[in-house]
């Protein structure tokens, strides 16, 4: 397998990498400390084409390949986890419209989203329905040419700032997952109440909210036919899980680079600590785990690029990368000693930011269920 992108793609990724280094990194600490929503970076991200880099050129995106998208998300995550979390949540919404919608819906929402003129949110999780979306209680009751949408969604990234939210609701309560449909809801039209941002351990600039819906939407707001919403959600989450893997390897790669540099320059007893075999073995394990995680993520992205099914590979990549990234960042912090625990360095923030990766877009336990189910099918 060859994951090396062409020269034009590498140039785009390098431009994004420089942006992460020059703009995101210097602001990441303040965003985390103050809990400032990372939307301040949207205009610059849009100028780079990053707000629509999951979209084809026909709908306003730059037409990056999935492998290039992986590398770009990875580069941004090395700069600021909150910013890339906000951006990839936006991708979930636009991916859902791209996958489940028709051309009229794509034309209405995607070009402005790619240009950074609008922001999207993805409303799947509920207070009592996270790991099993089929348990959702949000309902969409048909009434003539419209639907009355009622229910509560929870932990919805970007919701208070979103111009549109892709909301999943049951249109047939007796059909289980096959009774779930997807709708695009515009909060400005009313009937949407967003609570205050949740106080979270990490990703403090990537705000999440509880959202209550009691609104009417027209038939034109439905993505695809009734009952197709769950399939749209699963396909969207395959994409999203690959991007979570990229976020993890981006943050872990930054932590490893910091640990290597510290091992070269930090001296104990007159010797660089990198001369000690115990620490060398830590670095070797970290580098090996990171390389394996990246290869798994790039494999999933490559299969996506070929148009092949990649659900199992996306789950494997997300599972492995999220668990190994947490371990890599923790060991990088350990190598830095007390300095790593201090807020003067980004490692303690990264340790908090990466922890959610084992939970959202399907917990590690759910990924194991998915992988096992596909093996046994």
């Amino acid at each position: 397998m060859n994951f090396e992108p062409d020269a034009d793609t590498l140039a785009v990724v390098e431009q994004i990498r420089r942006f992460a280094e020059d703009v995101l990194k210097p602001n990441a600490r303040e965003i985390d400390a103050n809990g400032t929503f990372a939307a301040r970076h949207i205009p610059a991200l849009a100028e780079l084409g990053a707000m629509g880099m999951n979209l084809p050129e026909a709908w306003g995106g730059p037409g990056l390949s999935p492998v290039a998208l992986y590398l770009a998300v990875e580069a941004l995550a090395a700069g600021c986890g909150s910013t890339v979390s906000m951006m990839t949540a936006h991708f979930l919404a636009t991916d859902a419209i791209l996958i489940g919608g028709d051309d009229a819906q794509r034309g209405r929402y995607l070009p402005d989203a790619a240009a950074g003129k609008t922001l999207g949110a993805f409303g799947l999780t509920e207070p009592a329905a996270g790991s099993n979306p089929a348990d959702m209680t949000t309902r969409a009751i048909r009434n003539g040419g419209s639907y009355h949408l009622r229910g509560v969604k929870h932990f919805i990234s970007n919701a208070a700032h979103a111009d549109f939210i892709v909301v999943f609701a049951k249109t047939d309560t007796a059909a289980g997952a096959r009774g779930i449909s997807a709708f695009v809801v515009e909060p400005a039209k009313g009937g949407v109440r967003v609570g205050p941002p949740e106080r979270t351990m990490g990703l403090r600039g990537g705000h999440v909210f509880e959202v209550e819906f009691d609104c009417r939407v027209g038939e034109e707001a439905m993505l695809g036919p009734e009952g197709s919403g769950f399939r749209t959600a699963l396909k969207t989450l395959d994409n999203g899980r690959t991007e979570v893997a990229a976020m993890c390897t981006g943050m872990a790669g930054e932590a490893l680079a910091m640990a290597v540099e510290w091992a070269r320059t930090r001296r104990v007893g007159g010797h660089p600590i990198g001369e000690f075999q115990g620490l060398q073995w830590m670095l070797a394990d970290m580098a090996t785990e990171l390389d394996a995680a990246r290869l798994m993520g790039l494999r999933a992205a490559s299969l996506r690029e070929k148009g092949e099914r990649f659900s199992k590979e996306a789950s494997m990549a997300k599972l492995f990368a999220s668990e190994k990234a947490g371990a890599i960042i923790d060991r990088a912090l350990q190598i830095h000693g007390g300095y790593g625990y201090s807020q003067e360095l980004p490692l303690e923030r990264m340790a908090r930011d990466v922890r959610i990766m084992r939970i959202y877009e399907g917990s590690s336990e759910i990924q194991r269920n998915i992988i096992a189910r596909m093996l046994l099918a």
Side-chain angles (χ1 to χ4, degrees), residues 76 109 277 288:
L76 290 168
Y109 294 104
Q277 187 182 66
T288 302

Tab-separated table of all heavy atoms in Angstrom, residues 76 109 277 288:
chain	number	residue	atom	x	y	z
A	76	LEU	N	-3.509	19.700	11.829
A	76	LEU	CA	-4.239	20.685	12.626
A	76	LEU	C	-4.340	20.255	14.086
A	76	LEU	O	-4.258	21.081	14.995
A	76	LEU	CB	-5.630	20.903	12.035
A	76	LEU	CG	-5.658	21.638	10.686
A	76	LEU	CD1	-7.043	21.539	10.058
A	76	LEU	CD2	-5.256	23.095	10.846
A	109	TYR	N	-26.707	23.962	1.410
A	109	TYR	CA	-25.908	24.019	2.633
A	109	TYR	C	-24.390	23.918	2.432
A	109	TYR	O	-23.639	24.558	3.176
A	109	TYR	CB	-26.350	22.906	3.592
A	109	TYR	CG	-27.760	23.084	4.099
A	109	TYR	CD1	-28.802	22.309	3.594
A	109	TYR	CD2	-28.056	24.038	5.062
A	109	TYR	CE1	-30.101	22.476	4.048
A	109	TYR	CE2	-29.352	24.217	5.525
A	109	TYR	CZ	-30.371	23.439	5.008
A	109	TYR	OH	-31.665	23.617	5.456
A	277	GLN	N	18.894	3.901	28.984
A	277	GLN	CA	18.198	2.882	28.200
A	277	GLN	C	16.703	2.822	28.522
A	277	GLN	O	15.876	2.624	27.620
A	277	GLN	CB	18.835	1.520	28.431
A	277	GLN	CG	18.270	0.436	27.511
A	277	GLN	CD	18.879	-0.923	27.795
A	277	GLN	OE1	18.671	-1.476	28.870
A	277	GLN	NE2	19.636	-1.454	26.850
A	288	THR	N	6.852	3.349	17.810
A	288	THR	CA	6.288	2.170	17.147
A	288	THR	C	4.760	2.191	17.193
A	288	THR	O	4.086	1.919	16.184
A	288	THR	CB	6.825	0.893	17.816
A	288	THR	OG1	8.255	0.895	17.736
A	288	THR	CG2	6.278	-0.351	17.135
